[in-house]
Amino acid sequence: MATGAETEHDVAIGVLCCDTNFTKVPGHIRNRATFDFPVIYRVVDGATAERVVTQADPRLLDPFIQAAQELEARGAAAITGACGFLVIFQRQLADAVNVPLHASSLIQLPMVHRMIRSDQKVGLLVAKKPSLTRRHLAAVGAEHVPVCVVGLEDQPEFREVMLEARRPDLDADRLGREVLGQVEQLAKENPDMGALVIECTDVVPYAHQIQAHLGIPVFDIVTLTEMVHRSLTRRPFGASGTGQCPVDGGEHAVLNPGSPGGP
């Protein structure tokens, strides 16, 4: 766990990675330029998209547990995953280490549902819609969250590069068009969608374009990981850095409701 002596630039996040070799553009969790803090990567051999996404292969649990424990041993203050379908292992992975572990962006679903109106749905952008089951949602207590889902499994660039691993070279512009086309269709069919959660880490680089098109909150593995990192690197408020309340210097000062800065 992070200690008070560490700064935000010392605290590292560990990332459990699938066995893929395509280009990871900025915004992808496996591109170091995505974060302004240290990241430690651990690839799990044999964890292909076919085994993780399509099969939910239970034989991968032990290798992922071992990888998580290695990341903790290497100094990771928290651990995340580079594929949202790892949510199926959330409980077992979290139980295997002594640092916070969020295997998937889907862990945000219950929170996002509570943030929007009760008559609205949470949109989900996933790698492969037929592979997302009630079991995946139940792994994070989201089986009763009203969702509308769109997948990328039929989009040629995504399918060929991400799901089938036919080639490592990614046409980022082509993928971007596929992603925007799918979310626009989702929004058209679900005008009651109040927010979007991106399951697939591979398309997070397009989150800003998605938000510009939809005009709703967009959550993903990067927003979640940044929040977790921030929770591990809290700093005093105010410019002094003393840990004292900036109102009058007292450690236990209380703002009056009617005073400037009061509630």
Side-chain angles (χ1 to χ4, degrees), residues 236-237 240-245 250-251:
F237 292 100
S240 67
T242 62
Q244 296 181 328
C245 175
E251 292 184 352

Side-chain angles (χ1 to χ4, degrees), residues 239-259:
S240 67
T242 62
Q244 296 181 328
C245 175
V247 176
D248 62 4
E251 292 184 352
H252 304 290
V254 178
L255 293 174
N256 293 322
S259 67

Side-chain angles (χ1 to χ4, degrees), residues 16-30:
L16 296 166
C17 304
C18 294
D19 194 353
T20 61
N21 65 351
F22 58 84
T23 305
K24 311 300 193 297
V25 299
H28 196 288
I29 196 168
R30 288 181 64 179

